[in-house]
Amino acid sequence: MKTRRLTELALLTAAALIIFIVELRLPDLSAIPGVKLGLANIFTVYAVYSYKAREAALLLLTRILLGSLFSSNFSSVIYSLAGGALCIAGMLLLKKVIPMNFLWLCSVFGAILHNTGQIAAAVVFTRSPAVLVHYPTLIVSGCIAGLFTGLCAQFVLKRLMPVRKNESTPKENEE
């Protein structure tokens, strides 16, 4: 991986972590656990369309692990990893059929997959299908949040596209 690319991913991860920590300080949107805006996902969706699959997955994994460390909520790692893994896998596949102009749609499907992974982890972890009662609410709130984060990521991508096209990467930055 080129040094420049690694630096870009590190900056995206840092920005995602900052937004994640700020969002933790906001009051809960709902009494149902897991309902949140997920603003840090803007950077994940952006990375899916701007970087290689392994780079986008690395950004997500790093954000999840460091986010749980910074928030001191280690039990959330199970749910975040399950949701994040399903989300990133689905979005990387959907990227092949959903053009960049409809990135927001990929984000909505990613949110649905993320919530599905979290609920599946909750059913396995708690050994109780009773948590499935929250699934419809999570899907609706996930679609709304996914639409918002997808539109934000699409806006960022369109704004940065001309900048990225005009930049050249010197060969000496390769490792």
Side-chain angles (χ1 to χ4, degrees):
M1 185 183 305
K2 294 181 181 180
T3 306
R4 178 184 181 90
R5 201 133 170 114
L6 183 62
T7 304
E8 288 174 4
L9 286 168
L11 288 171
L12 287 173
T13 304
L17 280 168
I18 290 168
I19 288 181
F20 173 78
I21 297 299
V22 168
E23 191 175 359
L24 280 177
R25 304 298 175 240
L26 298 175
D28 290 336
L29 299 173
S30 170
I32 297 171
V35 174
K36 63 180 195 163
L37 287 173
L39 297 175
N41 293 321
I42 293 169
F43 298 96
T44 304
V45 177
Y46 170 79
V48 164
Y49 277 84
S50 300
Y51 293 91
K52 295 176 184 172
R54 66 185 172 99
E55 294 170 337
L58 181 64
L59 182 143
L60 178 67
L61 179 64
T62 304
R63 179 177 61 87
I64 289 171
L65 294 176
L66 289 177
S68 68
L69 180 68
F70 293 155
S71 67
S72 300
N73 190 358
F74 299 108
S75 64
S76 70
V77 171
I78 297 166
Y79 303 109
S80 296
L81 284 176
L86 196 56
C87 174
I88 195 87
M91 285 197 312
L92 288 169
L93 289 173
L94 288 169
K95 171 189 164 186
K96 296 177 181 184
V97 295
I98 297 176
M100 193 180 343
N101 293 342
F102 295 99
L103 177 147
W104 59 269
L105 184 59
C106 186
S107 178
V108 170
F109 282 117
I112 291 169
L113 291 168
H114 184 84
N115 288 331
T116 302
Q118 284 186 319
I119 284 290
V123 168
V124 169
F125 189 65
T126 63
R127 297 183 188 146
S128 170
V131 295
L132 289 172
V133 74
H134 299 302
Y135 190 60
T137 306
L138 287 175
I139 292 300
V140 171
S141 66
C143 286
I144 294 167
L147 176 62
F148 180 74
T149 58
L151 289 171
C152 289
Q154 189 165 340
F155 175 76
V156 169
L157 192 62
K158 283 182 180 180
R159 299 285 288 176
L160 291 179
M161 185 85 62
V163 174
R164 293 190 74 173
K165 284 183 181 178
N166 292 332
E167 293 178 346
S168 61
T169 54
K171 293 200 182 247
E172 67 230 24
N173 281 348
E174 294 186 26
E175 289 183 30

